[in-house]
Amino acid sequence: MGTMPVNREPRITHQSLRVLRIFLEDATREVAGTDMLDTTRLASGTLYPILARFETTGWLKSRWESVDPVAAGRPRKRLYRLTALGARRASELLEEIGSRVIA
Amino acid sequence: MNWKELLVALLLGLLSDELLGWSRSLSRWLVRKAAARLPIEHSGRYEAEWLETLESRPALSRLLFAIDLHRAAFAMMQDLHPRPYKLSTDIAVRANDFLGAALMLVFISPLFLLALLLLKWENGNDARPLRRIECVGRNGKRIELYRFWILRGSDGDLRPIGRFLLVTSLVELPQLLNVLKGDLGLVGPRADSPELHVMRTAQNPAYAQRLLLRPGLTGPQQLDWTLRRDRGEFGHILEHDRELLANYGLVSRLRYLWKTMLVVVTGRAPRPPAGSPPRL
């Protein structure tokens, strides 16, 4: 939901961390919703609000896949990727959690 | 295997086949409905995105995916418009609206059907007896209110049935269907056309607060004899809205319903507040 002002921190939950991990393996990776559903094994009712929150706070951004739906014979996918802000904040966050677990 | 088991197996096979065929269109319908719960500026994007994702899900999990999107839309709406009232209050109010409207519809259904048939006859066969009016609903959602469609005769005059429905306000009766659908409540602010809403919000931004509530069939604004249609003191409307927002709940609702019933039964407008100018 990109039209919202970027002024809040997303709520971090166990589930939203599972979503972030997909992106952190390769920060330039673009992922479609269906792949995230498979990887995280989250239900659609959990995944999409998380994605919307990350988009609102500017951690993730999304775009329509640039294929011609007629030529490809399938509808375009919506692809999500990490922003620079998201990459920085997410790795900080995971580091913090990691150190807390060890300590 | 005896013939009974065979028959059951055959029926189950047919049923599952039929269900799989149906589940696809059902899922797509559910996805569209879920996207429509989001504000207008987001619903288009999510409808396209979710319909595409639906196609790439395994066949057996599609229906579940689609159903669960309603939970997603609910949570996304919560993030955009945090719920100002307790969930239990909201549920009680909605239950009161739904049951009240359903009960009234059952009681007046003969009258309703009669009005429909008579209008159909008076308007001629080509005209539809119901029309839809675009209004602004809760959280700025676009809603369509139903109303009996009154057509004028070739001389520009109202005809008997139409005049009767207008004079008795029965012309608004179909809005009970909107209450069942959840567009309207029994009690709430008067629904505005999009133009009127934009105009009044520009006049005073506080006016947008009323979007926290479902518009209603009746309410302080509708019962206020000094406010007729879209005219009247703007300050009074804001005052009525504030009262509704501050007293959201079953008790205040039942009070307004009671007041409305008195007006309908006695045919008298509620007494004007002390010190207000005489009615013209």
Side-chain angles (χ1 to χ4, degrees):
Chain A
M1 304 202 168
T3 55
M4 298 282 287
V6 183
N7 56 3
R8 285 174 295 156
E9 289 282 291
R11 195 163 65 222
I12 299 298
T13 58
H14 191 68
Q15 286 100 336
S16 61
L17 283 176
R18 267 151 81 182
V19 176
L20 278 184
R21 281 213 182 84
I22 303 177
F23 292 99
L24 280 178
E25 285 162 15
D26 173 6
T28 58
R29 195 170 153 206
E30 290 189 299
V31 193
T34 184
D35 299 325
M36 283 189 251
L37 288 169
D38 289 336
T39 321
T40 60
R41 309 196 63 76
L42 292 176
S44 53
T46 312
L47 177 70
Y48 284 101
I50 291 174
L51 291 178
R53 266 176 230 137
F54 280 143
E55 264 199 278
T56 311
T57 47
W59 288 32
L60 287 181
K61 60 183 176 187
S62 65
R63 66 175 181 92
W64 289 112
E65 187 185 24
S66 46
V67 296
D68 181 12
V70 181
R74 60 171 178 82
R76 292 178 305 167
K77 288 180 178 176
R78 187 86 186 180
L79 298 173
Y80 290 81
R81 62 171 296 179
L82 214 54
T83 62
L85 170 78
R88 199 176 63 238
R89 296 287 295 114
S91 49
E92 277 170 18
L93 187 79
L94 287 178
E95 230 165 78
E96 193 187 314
I97 292 170
S99 66
R100 235 187 286 161
V101 171
I102 294 163
Chain B
M1 199 189 277
N2 62 27
W3 66 272
K4 271 185 194 162
E5 285 171 27
L6 248 174
L7 194 68
V8 168
L10 189 71
L11 279 177
L12 279 180
L14 276 175
L15 192 69
S16 69
D17 223 38
E18 196 67 9
L19 279 179
L20 276 181
W22 267 87
S23 82
R24 198 190 122 103
S25 45
L26 180 64
S27 308
R28 292 182 68 85
W29 180 80
L30 282 168
V31 168
R32 271 191 226 104
K33 282 281 169 197
R37 297 173 74 138
L38 297 172
I40 302 168
E41 62 266 35
H42 300 303
S43 54
R45 170 203 151 171
Y46 280 100
E47 185 182 307
E49 179 176 349
W50 288 343
L51 282 175
E52 180 276 318
T53 310
L54 180 75
E55 296 300 321
S56 47
R57 300 309 297 154
L60 282 175
S61 68
R62 277 183 198 163
L63 199 55
L64 219 58
F65 170 83
I67 292 171
D68 207 36
L69 283 181
H70 284 258
R71 190 163 63 91
F74 182 78
M76 286 154 84
M77 274 306 272
Q78 290 275 287
D79 286 345
L80 287 171
H81 302 279
R83 190 176 282 274
Y85 304 104
K86 272 193 295 184
L87 185 64
S88 56
T89 313
D90 244 7
I91 290 175
V93 161
R94 178 73 189 115
N96 172 246
D97 285 348
F98 186 87
L99 292 177
L103 205 69
M104 275 191 259
L105 269 174
V106 168
F107 272 108
I108 59 149
S109 56
L111 183 69
F112 196 97
L113 286 177
L114 188 71
L116 268 182
L117 287 174
L118 285 174
L119 259 187
K120 186 101 189 149
W121 169 73
E122 194 177 71
N123 285 353
N125 259 337
D126 305 332
R128 272 176 296 163
L130 284 184
R131 63 185 295 200
R132 295 164 184 211
I133 300 164
E134 191 183 0
C135 283
V136 181
R138 192 181 204 181
N139 292 327
K141 205 178 130 178
R142 196 181 66 97
I143 57 174
E144 283 179 329
L145 298 189
Y146 300 114
R147 205 163 187 260
F148 282 127
W149 202 330
I150 314 283
L151 291 180
R152 285 167 188 277
S154 47
D155 53 354
D157 282 348
L158 285 170
R159 284 172 292 187
I161 310 281
R163 181 193 303 276
F164 176 75
L165 290 176
L166 272 176
V167 167
T168 53
S169 292
L170 286 176
V171 63
E172 315 284 357
L173 210 58
Q175 285 175 21
L176 283 174
L177 295 173
N178 289 110
V179 179
L180 279 192
K181 274 176 71 184
D183 298 334
L184 279 187
L186 291 177
V187 176
R190 180 196 281 281
D192 288 337
S193 66
E195 298 77 30
L196 187 66
H197 181 80
V198 168
M199 202 185 79
R200 283 182 172 163
T201 312
Q203 207 175 336
N204 186 343
Y207 189 71
Q209 281 222 340
R210 59 162 44 208
L211 293 188
L212 293 173
L213 304 171
R214 269 192 200 90
L217 280 184
T218 181
Q221 186 186 349
Q222 293 89 326
L223 288 173
D224 187 340
W225 66 279
T226 61
L227 301 169
R228 279 284 166 265
R229 297 276 148 193
D230 301 335
R231 290 190 293 270
E233 287 273 336
F234 188 43
H236 286 183
I237 301 178
L238 283 173
E239 198 56 48
H240 292 320
D241 282 0
R242 265 195 287 275
E243 192 186 325
L244 278 177
L245 285 159
N247 299 312
Y248 185 74
L250 269 189
V251 179
S252 99
R253 253 174 144 67
L254 293 175
R255 210 174 61 226
Y256 284 118
L257 286 176
W258 174 245
K259 277 188 191 171
T260 309
M261 213 173 72
L262 286 184
V263 172
V264 171
V265 171
T266 62
R268 265 202 311 253
R271 248 180 308 167
S276 47
R279 191 177 185 177
L280 297 175

